[in-house]
Structures are given as C-alpha cells and as structure tokens.
Amino acid sequence: MICIKAGRRQLAHCVTANRRRHMQSLIAAAATRCPVLSKASSASREALMRHAVLRRLDRGSCVFTHGDAAESGYVLMEGWIKITRTQPCGAISILTLHAPGETFGFSDSIRRLSRKATAEAATACTVLSVSARSICQTMRNDPNFGDTILGHAFQQNDSLLEQLETLKIFSGVQRLACFLIRQAKPDQERHIVRLPFNKNLVAHYLGLKPESLSRSFARLKEHGVRTVPEGIEISDLDALNALVGDIAGLDLRMTA
C-alpha cells in the first residue's frame, strides 16, 4: 500500500512538472509573439504570469460575454478568436478575428469596465488569462510597462480607424484580396491560405454577404486565386498586390 501511494505521488509530481514545463514554453512563445509581453521586462512578465491561467477552449466556447465584468486580459496562444456584438434585432456583427500571439480584452480590464463585446472561440484554441489586478499592479510598479500598454491601445485605435476606412472606401473584391494576402503562406512557387473556419465567417468579417464573397472569389480567379484541396491557392501574389494597391498597408483588424 505504501509503495502504491508513493507511486501515485511520484506520478502526480511528474504530471505537475510536465504541465509547468509546458506552461513555461507557452509563456516563452507568448513573450516573443505578443505585442504587449514582448516589450515587457522579464520582471514584469514574471509578475504577470505568476497568477496567469491557461485555458483550452473548444470551437464555439465563450471566453467572455457582452456585459460581463472585465476581470482579465487575454493572450491568444493557439487557434482563432472572434469578437462579436449582437444587435437588438438578433443580428450578430463580427468586429474582428484574432490570430495567435494577439491580445484581447485588455482595455476593458484595465479600466474595470463591463465587456463591450463577446469573445468566442472561432476554432479550438488556447488562451492565457491574465488577471486585471496583475496587469494594473504591474503598470504601477513598472512605468515602462504602462507606456507599453498605452502604446498598444493607440495601435488598436489606429487599426480601428484603418478598418473603418477600408470598409467605407474599398470594394468587396479588394477587401477579400487584402485578407488573402495577409493570410498567405509560401508553398514552393505559390502561396496557400488555409482557412481554419468556414467562408461564411470570412464573409461576415469582411462585411460581405456569403453570395457576395462567392462572386468576389470568382472575380479573383483572373488574378491567380483558386480553390485547391489544401485551401486557397495564390499563384500570382504580385497580381493581388497590384489589385489592392495602397490598402495592403492597412490593417483590416478591429481590436477589442
């Protein structure tokens, strides 16, 4: 009996150690990729991570809901998050899509406001939850980190203005082309876009109806875009860049 208990304790210790190592590797990855953590000092990162919680979410799971108390900021480690607002009529607007390495929910948490939107897992994902208390305490202890948070907020505001400009000025075909350029990954002599979610979500994100998105894809065929088993193939990235022109420098994301 004593041997069994000792074995169980040893197993539990190994599991805990493995989880700790996995957490440390994720934190190291976040420190490199996250626009906030990458600019924080090592002491500030340690303070923020001391009580951080790693959450794994299935597709469709809510991180937070519009109107909730904002008690944490989040760093997206894996997967995609969509930020939405539901209108009184029941219509749902997708404000933005967050990719790995990005943060969301920080601004509400710092100001201790209720959530202005809903955050939902667009795919299976992993998020790092950092308590608002830790964020605010670190800002008080490290003025440079406070400057980093403020600069990040300004960047988010700039992105919002750029997205509004894009939605008001550019056609659906140009918006789709710009989205594909940003998601394209080199694959030998071509580029491939692998969408982790369905095209309806892309349509909502770009402010298009699903049928308009289909027509936009059809129009992009003459610019080297076609659907293949691996995803969406771009055979001539220069042609797409020529189509979007100056908007390639704009950021289509709207941050929460």
Side-chain angles (χ1 to χ4, degrees), residues 7 26 78 102 138 157 176 190 200 233 237 241:
L26 288 175
E78 301 167 331
E102 296 183 352
T138 304
N157 186 65
L176 175 59
R190 61 180 185 171
N200 283 345
E233 179 187 81
L237 197 61
N241 280 315

Side-chain angles (χ1 to χ4, degrees), residues 9-48:
R9 283 196 299 270
Q10 185 176 6
L11 178 61
H13 176 75
C14 290
V15 170
T16 300
N18 287 336
R19 287 177 177 172
R20 188 179 297 115
R21 282 193 294 270
H22 182 57
M23 179 74 166
Q24 289 171 344
S25 67
L26 288 175
I27 290 172
T32 302
R33 300 169 64 183
C34 172
V36 173
L37 295 182
S38 64
K39 297 178 182 177
S41 66
S42 58
S44 291
R45 280 200 299 271
E46 290 177 7
L48 290 168

